[in-house]
Amino acid sequence: MGQIVPDLVERYLRGLNHAADAVLDAIARDGDAAHLPLVDAEVGALLRVLAASIGATRILEIGTCIGYSGIWLAGALPKHGMLITMEKDAARAAIAKANFERAGLSDRVSVMVGDAALKIVKVSGPFDLIFQDGHKPLYNTLLEPLVARLRPGGLLITDNVLWNGEVVPGFVNTPARNADDTRAISEYNERLASHPQLLTSIVPLRDGVAISVKRTVA
Ligand SMILES: C[S@@+](CC[C@H](N)C(=O)[O-])C[C@H]1O[C@@H](n2cnc3c(N)ncnc32)[C@H](O)[C@@H]1O
């Protein structure tokens, strides 16, 4: 549990979330056991709602890990839809591929193995939705390439933008997270807020989720 949403509220939200299934629950347990930083089911449900709300057919994800958030996203795609998801760690990518298979979604998911900073030039837009959840210092590097690959009206969703409250001056007495990552996220949040092509709202769910829509008019 994080520090942003009180535990009781997190538990209440979890109790109301019936969208997870046995496969997602099993992957979440695997992630917990291996101490992997996966989104939780409430952020997963938010991703699926957002993808469904815009009728997304092309989704890009940075930071697959073992496929948990990818399954939430791909579950909103129609049969002809496509999720492209990038993961640097080959072992995690292999588990993700197996998990997409388990979830019955491998026909609409492509896992790209490698550094997203290098792989990004290999994918062309437009995407309806892009989920940034990779290496935090990469958030800034990838911002412009991702905005360029997003269709007008499309959504850029970014996880961990409150960084357990450590980006909020005075909120955390003893910071535990990497200071470079904290600085990178603070800078990223400022860039999102002032980006001329984006309208952004940060939802203080779990570790903070930024939802940015690409403007249709300048
Ligand atoms: C926070 S985890 C992603 C969790 C996943 N989105 C989920 O909720 O199920 C971040 C992932 O990004 C991967 N990663 C780190 N640097 C990367 C890079 N340069 N390119 C692609 N993936 C990267 C890590 O190996 C890790 O698995």
Side-chain angles (χ1 to χ4, degrees):
M1 302 246 179
Q3 298 195 29
I4 311 294
V5 182
D7 287 357
L8 271 179
V9 179
E10 286 207 346
R11 232 168 275 148
Y12 173 74
L13 294 175
R14 189 164 313 142
L16 286 177
N17 182 358
H18 302 299
D21 57 26
V23 173
L24 278 166
D25 288 346
I27 298 168
R29 280 194 300 275
D30 292 347
D32 264 359
H35 305 292
L36 295 174
L38 311 182
V39 300
D40 69 1
E42 284 59 68
V43 173
L46 177 66
L47 293 173
R48 188 170 285 178
V49 165
L50 291 170
S53 72
I54 58 166
T57 61
R58 289 198 85 222
I59 299 178
L60 175 65
E61 177 182 57
I62 311 296
T64 319
C65 202
I66 58 171
Y68 184 74
S69 54
I71 290 172
W72 280 102
L73 286 165
L77 288 170
K79 271 215 160 306
H80 65 278
M82 178 55 70
L83 165 71
I84 297 174
T85 179
M86 297 184 180
E87 174 55 54
K88 192 174 180 180
D89 182 308
R92 289 181 182 179
I95 297 170
K97 283 180 193 169
N99 283 335
F100 289 123
E101 190 79 47
R102 264 165 100 187
L105 291 164
S106 50
D107 60 339
R108 67 202 78 167
V109 180
S110 167
V111 181
M112 290 177 78
V113 185
D115 184 345
L118 305 173
K119 292 278 175 193
I120 191 66
V121 295
K122 308 232 181 252
V123 297
S124 47
F127 289 95
D128 302 302
L129 186 153
I130 300 177
F131 181 46
Q132 272 251 67
D133 191 23
H135 188 44
K136 306 313 159 191
L138 258 194
Y139 278 13
N140 286 299
T141 312
L142 287 173
L143 180 59
E144 289 310 324
L146 295 184
V147 172
R149 285 164 177 76
L150 196 60
R151 70 157 165 85
L155 297 175
L156 170 64
I157 304 169
T158 313
D159 196 26
N160 307 112
V161 295
L162 291 177
W163 209 226
N164 214 25
E166 295 201 9
V167 294
V168 182
F171 186 73
V172 174
N173 290 330
T174 315
R177 296 193 171 178
N178 178 295
D180 288 340
D181 290 359
T182 306
R183 268 190 298 277
I185 294 171
S186 298
E187 181 191 336
Y188 182 77
N189 288 342
E190 292 292 339
R191 288 180 64 189
L192 282 185
S194 57
H195 199 290
Q197 289 177 281
L198 299 175
L199 280 173
T200 296
S201 173
I202 292 182
V203 180
L205 179 65
R206 208 200 180 201
D207 202 21
V209 182
I211 303 171
S212 309
V213 61
K214 186 168 176 179
R215 292 173 189 266
T216 48
V217 285

